[in-house]
Every structure is written in structure tokens, then in C-alpha cells.
Amino acid sequence: MPETITIDPVTRIEGHAKITIHLDKYGYVDDAQFHVTQFRGFEKLVEGRPYQELPSIMARICGICPVSHLIAGAKAGDGIMAVSIPDTAEKLRRVLNLAQLVQSHALNFFHLSSPDFLIGMDGEPSERNFFGVMQQEPDFARDGIRLRQFGQQIIEWMGGKRIHSPWVVPGGVNAPLTEDVRDKILEGMPEALEIAQRQLVWFKQTLSEYRDEIRSFANFPTKFLGLVNRQGQLEHYDGTLRMVNSSGKVVEDGIEAPNYGTYIGEAVEPWTYLKFPYYKGEGYPDGIYRVGPLARLNVVDGCGTPLADQEWTEFRELERGPVVLSSFHYHYARLIEILYGLEKIERLLQDDDILDTHIRAEAAPNNREGVGISEAPRGTLIHHYRIDKQGLIEWVNLIIATGHNNLAMNRGIQQVAKQYVKSDSLEESMLNRVEAVIRAFDPCLSCSTHAAGKMPLHLQLMDSEHQVLDELRR
Amino acid sequence: MSKPTLATIWLEGCSGCHMSILDMDERLIDLAERVDVVFSPYIDIKDFPDEVDITLVEGAIATEEDLRKIRKIRESTTTLIAFGDCAVMGNVPSMRNPFGKESVLERSYRENAVDNQEIPKDSVPELLDRVRPVHEIVDVDLHMQGCPPSADTIHYALTELLEGRQPQLTEITRFGK
């Protein structure tokens, strides 16, 4: 097994992630593993800090989705204070969260994944990046830049800065929305909606070119987990957790944040720093499930906004079964969620009380523990804090979106490897497809590690005696 | 004449500084015309090149692997920029230092785990006892504060360097901002 293989440190010098592939004695792929090689330690390093500081410190877990950590941290703080925050504050947090959804999904689709579609899975590696896309498809690149910019600008205008805004605090937000900012956002909305719709139309047209990838990119039955609102619709800020199985049947529903531990366990493997959350109802490792855009669209009964609902209906009819199983369709789901995010932001900003200045509840700690759950762009995010009598953090548990998908990503790599590797030699296109299946999940390894998107990868091909037959690095 | 070369890398940070690079928005297109990006998480390149004009280093030094990387980067780079507060002074990642690495690992992999409680040690790099800022390991040519530095700051600094001038960052940057 990989733990017996010593990998030369120099070969890993650029590597944030590593994949090992094991062959059986006939030369067929037997197993594959996705190794995450960095560790941050946030569950410990915040010990002794006042709980009010936590949202801003936790935001530093990730520069791609800081708003998610800000919100989950602030909600855990709301729980400690035992307050129900003002309506306007909740709406403003929702807008911020959705703005991040838009920018983060745009980042994955345009900046990181689109080179695989436009330059091609088998394209020239030195050109297969966003700078290559800028040269070959400048209009497409500009669309991506503009859409991401729109999400980031909303965050900047509302929260003071684009990355690591301190605006969300336990009890609410720390400043009301101004009329000027509201109007600026609404002014930019038509362009953003137009881009989102245009790219969705384009991507749907290209799907027929990816039949092999759709078939083999982590395409298997698992359960799916995500938040839903009271109507069973798409929800990113609050609501309760729902889990459906691969036949679309609801297996768990109405899970409240504080009870997550009854349903989700965490397992450790010695060969990666990323833990493996699993569904306790089926144990480890059988309790495999997926989170994120694909999972969210699979668990809900609808989106709740007109344009997204139309797309959602079409999306759910993609495959024969009632839910969509191929992880390649994370991309498609991401585009639908961008559309949803924009529609929802527009609707929230049109509410009469959105400019209200009562935006923060004040209280001393009333509970020793608080759990905050939200949907980060990549899936369900759980922050669980416990404080001492002085309000200082005593203990923290975090379950990060990318972690939930760890079992599925590992199985996905096995599936792609089995599809494309049949002999004892590796090809570049195979390397890229293994990378691309991981990219479909949009792992935010900054959250547990680093390496979003175009990770340097190190592949080793081993025989059944665990001898290295071949390796490829990038 | 070939264009100046630019490399970017993230070590122990959150990638926020790299996101701030993308926050240059459409200015990115112009920048891409003026420099060759030769190594970056945004690009598929196998090894850090032997000669690079400017390298932006995000993040602190937290593992044995980071140590090897930063030494190679220093060796190969003309202008090494400590990019953001983690690189400049350790910032949030260094908050683990007072606890010691064992108790930090213990929390994640034994206390907060249900199955197979053990600390990963195969195929993963060993943590350093202390997280350290870049300048403790190698010489730094320019310190760019900020968590993260704003897109305007990054754009200004790179433009000045490309024009052959030394960027003046003290007035426009602050820790944490």
C-alpha cells in the first residue's frame, strides 16, 4: 500500500496533492488514492480567543470562500448568545453569501475548469490554462472575469473589502446597507444575468462532447446531503439538512445544526491530512455521500426562483434515474446555482426592509456551545464551538465542505483510472482526466490544505508488489 | 526581447492573496500581455523554473516541504516578494505555535475523529514545530503587507517593478487590511 512507498521529497516539491494508482498482477487498475498533503490546525489554534473574534479568524481558513466561514462562525456565535438576529441582518447575510456563491462558482467554471472544455481535455498542457483561454476565446474569458468581479464587488461594497471582510459578526452584521450600494448592485444585475444565461446555453450545447467523461467521472450511486428550506427548496444560509439516496428517496430530513454529530462521523486515514466524514447510518466507509452544487440540486424539490427552476427541471431529467449521479455535472449544477444566486440577490434587495438600520442583536453568552451550518459553494459547512465561563474558546470542531466529498473523490479517481489506464504506461491525457475529475468536485483544499484548481499533480503507477512502474509529474 | 517572468506560489496561507491577484479583474488581461507567468497554481508547470524575475510568495513556512520550496525559490528568483501577512509575519497560521504541533494534530485526528484515530504520517509532509515567516528562512526583497494585499496594491507593485522602479508600499499597506 502507499504508506510503504517512499516518495523522493524533491519530486513533491511543487506538489500539493498526489495520486497513487495501484495495479493488480494482470496490469489492471486495482486501487487509487488522493493524498492531501497539508494541514492547518484551526480546530486548535483558536483556543483561548474570545468567541466574537472567531468569524474573522475562521475566514482565514480560506481566501476563496471566506464568507462561508464568516457566516458559519457568526451563526455559531448567534447560538452561543442564544439570539435570533434581526430580519434585515439575516437578509443581508444571505445576500453576501450568495454573492460569494456567484464569484466562487465563476472562479471554478471560468478560471479553473474552462481550459479543459475550450483548450480540450487532450489539449496542449502549456496552453491549457486561463491565460490560454484569454488568448483563444477573449469574449468568454471576459464574461468569466466580469461575473466573478460582480460577486466580489457586491462583497466589497457591502462588507468593506473583497476578501476577509469583517462585516458579519455574532448577532448580525456591523453596518446597514446603504441605498447607494443597493442601487449599484441592482444596476449591475442585468449584465450578470445575461452572462449566466448565455454560458448556461453554451455549456448545455457542448455536453454531448463529453459522453465518456460523464460516464466515468465519479458516476456512481451515493447519498447526497444539503440544506433545504421549509418548502424543501434550495437553501444556502439556514434551513435543515436533508439526505437523499441514489434513487432520490429521502433517508434523513429536518436535521437541525446541533444534531449533526448524530448523523455524521469522521474517519482518519494515515495517508492523507484530509479526514473522511461519513453517514453514521451506514458506517465507515460505506456511508459515502456527496455535497455541493450537484448534491444540493439533487436533494431539493425546487429552487424557488423562476429562471433557476426552469433549468432545474431540465437538469433533473438528465439521467434515467430521478437524481443526477455523474460528478461531471457539478459544472452544470454550478451554472444553475449562479443563475439562482443572482435572481435571489435581486429579490432580497427589493425587500422593503433591506435598508433597515436595526441589524445587530446584542447579548452576553447564554449557551456554552453553538453550532453554525451553512452551504458553502462547495457544500455543507459546519462550525461547532464551545466556550468557557469567560466566553473564551475551549474547543472547536469543523467539518468542511470538501471533506464530505473525500470518499467520493477517492472513488472517482479509481473510476477514471479504471476507464483510462489499461497498461503499465501513463499518458498526459490520462493525467489531465484524473485531475479533471477532482476539479469537477471543485475541492477547496485551502480549507483543509491548499491547491485549488490547477494543482501540480504527481502520479505514481505501482504494481501489485507496490513497485513504482511509472510516474508522471506536472 | 522576451518578457519578464513572474511566478506565484502559495505555501501556508489561505489562497486569499492569490484570489486578490484575480481581483485585478480586467487588468489581468493587460498584465498577461506584459509578463510571462512561468509558475503558478493557475498554470500547469511541473517544476519551479531555475530563473524567475519576480516571485510572489503567499503564506508562511509550516512544513519540511515548505522549507525546501522556499530555498529553491530564493535560489531561482531575482525579486522575491513576501506576499501578504502570512508570508511577512506568520499571521494566523503561526497562532498554532504556542500549542506545539503535537497537540494541534491530536485535536484533529484523535479527539475530533470517530474512526481510525491516528495522526497521518504516510505520504504527507511533516509539520515544522513552529510556523515561521519567510524572512526567517531566506532574504526577502519586498514585503507586501495585507490580509490580503488589495488588487490595487498588487497591480501598483508589479507595474512599478516592471518599469524598473522600487515600489513604495509603506504608505498604502497595513497589516490585516
Short mmCIF file of all heavy atoms in Angstrom, two decimals, chain B residues 71-92:
data_model
loop_
_atom_site.label_atom_id
_atom_site.label_comp_id
_atom_site.label_asym_id
_atom_site.label_seq_id
_atom_site.Cartn_x
_atom_site.Cartn_y
_atom_site.Cartn_z
N ARG B 71 13.58 27.63 -0.28
CA ARG B 71 15.02 27.73 -0.60
C ARG B 71 15.24 27.67 -2.11
O ARG B 71 16.06 28.41 -2.66
CB ARG B 71 15.78 26.63 0.13
CG ARG B 71 15.86 26.92 1.62
CD ARG B 71 16.69 25.94 2.39
NE ARG B 71 16.72 26.35 3.81
CZ ARG B 71 16.42 25.57 4.82
NH1 ARG B 71 16.12 24.29 4.62
NH2 ARG B 71 16.47 26.03 6.07
N LYS B 72 14.50 26.78 -2.75
CA LYS B 72 14.60 26.69 -4.21
C LYS B 72 14.13 28.01 -4.86
O LYS B 72 14.75 28.50 -5.80
CB LYS B 72 13.74 25.50 -4.69
CG LYS B 72 13.40 25.49 -6.17
CD LYS B 72 14.62 25.21 -7.04
CE LYS B 72 14.24 25.30 -8.52
NZ LYS B 72 15.40 25.38 -9.39
N ILE B 73 13.05 28.57 -4.32
CA ILE B 73 12.52 29.81 -4.88
C ILE B 73 13.55 30.94 -4.75
O ILE B 73 13.80 31.68 -5.70
CB ILE B 73 11.21 30.21 -4.15
CG1 ILE B 73 10.10 29.22 -4.50
CG2 ILE B 73 10.78 31.63 -4.51
CD1 ILE B 73 8.90 29.28 -3.57
N ARG B 74 14.17 31.04 -3.57
CA ARG B 74 15.17 32.10 -3.34
C ARG B 74 16.33 31.97 -4.32
O ARG B 74 16.78 32.94 -4.92
CB ARG B 74 15.66 32.02 -1.89
CG ARG B 74 16.73 33.02 -1.49
CD ARG B 74 16.30 34.48 -1.51
NE ARG B 74 16.28 35.10 -2.83
CZ ARG B 74 15.93 36.36 -3.05
NH1 ARG B 74 15.53 37.13 -2.07
NH2 ARG B 74 15.95 36.85 -4.27
N GLU B 75 16.78 30.73 -4.47
CA GLU B 75 17.89 30.45 -5.37
C GLU B 75 17.58 30.90 -6.80
O GLU B 75 18.47 31.36 -7.52
CB GLU B 75 18.07 28.93 -5.39
CG GLU B 75 19.47 28.42 -5.32
CD GLU B 75 19.37 26.89 -5.28
OE1 GLU B 75 19.22 26.27 -6.35
OE2 GLU B 75 19.40 26.36 -4.15
N SER B 76 16.33 30.78 -7.19
CA SER B 76 15.96 30.99 -8.60
C SER B 76 15.40 32.37 -8.90
O SER B 76 15.16 32.68 -10.06
CB SER B 76 14.91 29.96 -9.02
OG SER B 76 15.25 28.68 -8.57
N THR B 77 15.14 33.17 -7.87
CA THR B 77 14.37 34.40 -8.07
C THR B 77 15.21 35.65 -7.89
O THR B 77 15.98 35.75 -6.94
CB THR B 77 13.20 34.45 -7.06
OG1 THR B 77 12.40 33.30 -7.23
CG2 THR B 77 12.35 35.69 -7.25
N THR B 78 15.01 36.63 -8.79
CA THR B 78 15.70 37.91 -8.62
C THR B 78 15.00 38.75 -7.56
O THR B 78 15.63 39.21 -6.61
CB THR B 78 15.71 38.68 -9.97
OG1 THR B 78 16.23 37.81 -10.97
CG2 THR B 78 16.59 39.92 -9.87
N THR B 79 13.71 39.00 -7.71
CA THR B 79 12.96 39.80 -6.74
C THR B 79 11.92 38.93 -6.05
O THR B 79 10.91 38.58 -6.64
CB THR B 79 12.26 40.99 -7.44
OG1 THR B 79 13.25 41.74 -8.14
CG2 THR B 79 11.57 41.88 -6.41
N LEU B 80 12.20 38.58 -4.79
CA LEU B 80 11.28 37.73 -4.04
C LEU B 80 10.40 38.62 -3.18
O LEU B 80 10.89 39.39 -2.34
CB LEU B 80 12.07 36.73 -3.20
CG LEU B 80 11.29 35.60 -2.52
CD1 LEU B 80 12.25 34.46 -2.14
CD2 LEU B 80 10.53 36.03 -1.29
N ILE B 81 9.10 38.53 -3.37
CA ILE B 81 8.16 39.34 -2.61
C ILE B 81 7.45 38.48 -1.57
O ILE B 81 6.83 37.47 -1.92
CB ILE B 81 7.11 39.99 -3.54
CG1 ILE B 81 7.81 40.79 -4.64
CG2 ILE B 81 6.14 40.87 -2.75
CD1 ILE B 81 6.87 41.42 -5.66
N ALA B 82 7.57 38.86 -0.29
CA ALA B 82 6.75 38.23 0.75
C ALA B 82 5.37 38.84 0.59
O ALA B 82 5.15 40.02 0.85
CB ALA B 82 7.32 38.50 2.13
N PHE B 83 4.44 38.00 0.14
CA PHE B 83 3.17 38.47 -0.40
C PHE B 83 2.06 38.22 0.62
O PHE B 83 1.56 37.11 0.75
CB PHE B 83 2.94 37.69 -1.71
CG PHE B 83 1.67 37.95 -2.45
CD1 PHE B 83 1.09 39.22 -2.50
CD2 PHE B 83 1.05 36.92 -3.15
CE1 PHE B 83 -0.08 39.43 -3.22
CE2 PHE B 83 -0.12 37.12 -3.87
CZ PHE B 83 -0.69 38.39 -3.89
N GLY B 84 1.72 39.27 1.38
CA GLY B 84 0.65 39.14 2.36
C GLY B 84 1.16 38.86 3.77
O GLY B 84 2.31 38.48 3.96
N ASP B 85 0.29 39.04 4.75
CA ASP B 85 0.70 38.98 6.15
C ASP B 85 1.27 37.63 6.60
O ASP B 85 2.16 37.59 7.44
CB ASP B 85 -0.49 39.36 7.05
CG ASP B 85 -0.83 40.84 6.97
OD1 ASP B 85 0.00 41.60 6.42
OD2 ASP B 85 -1.90 41.24 7.46
N CYS B 86 0.76 36.53 6.07
CA CYS B 86 1.29 35.21 6.49
C CYS B 86 2.75 35.09 6.10
O CYS B 86 3.58 34.62 6.88
CB CYS B 86 0.48 34.07 5.89
SG CYS B 86 -1.23 34.05 6.43
N ALA B 87 3.08 35.51 4.88
CA ALA B 87 4.47 35.46 4.42
C ALA B 87 5.32 36.48 5.18
O ALA B 87 6.46 36.21 5.55
CB ALA B 87 4.53 35.74 2.92
N VAL B 88 4.75 37.65 5.45
CA VAL B 88 5.52 38.73 6.08
C VAL B 88 5.79 38.44 7.56
O VAL B 88 6.90 38.61 8.04
CB VAL B 88 4.78 40.09 5.94
CG1 VAL B 88 5.48 41.18 6.74
CG2 VAL B 88 4.70 40.50 4.47
N MET B 89 4.75 37.98 8.29
CA MET B 89 4.98 37.82 9.73
C MET B 89 4.31 36.59 10.36
O MET B 89 4.19 36.51 11.57
CB MET B 89 4.59 39.10 10.47
CG MET B 89 3.22 39.68 10.18
SD MET B 89 1.89 38.93 11.15
CE MET B 89 0.57 40.07 10.86
N GLY B 90 3.89 35.64 9.55
CA GLY B 90 3.33 34.41 10.12
C GLY B 90 1.82 34.43 10.28
O GLY B 90 1.15 33.44 10.03
N ASN B 91 1.31 35.55 10.74
CA ASN B 91 -0.14 35.78 10.81
C ASN B 91 -0.90 34.60 11.43
O ASN B 91 -0.42 33.96 12.35
CB ASN B 91 -0.68 36.12 9.40
CG ASN B 91 -2.01 36.85 9.40
OD1 ASN B 91 -2.35 37.49 10.39
ND2 ASN B 91 -2.75 36.75 8.33
N VAL B 92 -2.11 34.34 10.96
CA VAL B 92 -2.99 33.33 11.57
C VAL B 92 -2.35 31.93 11.64
O VAL B 92 -2.44 31.28 12.69
CB VAL B 92 -4.37 33.30 10.86
CG1 VAL B 92 -5.23 32.16 11.36
CG2 VAL B 92 -5.10 34.64 11.08
#
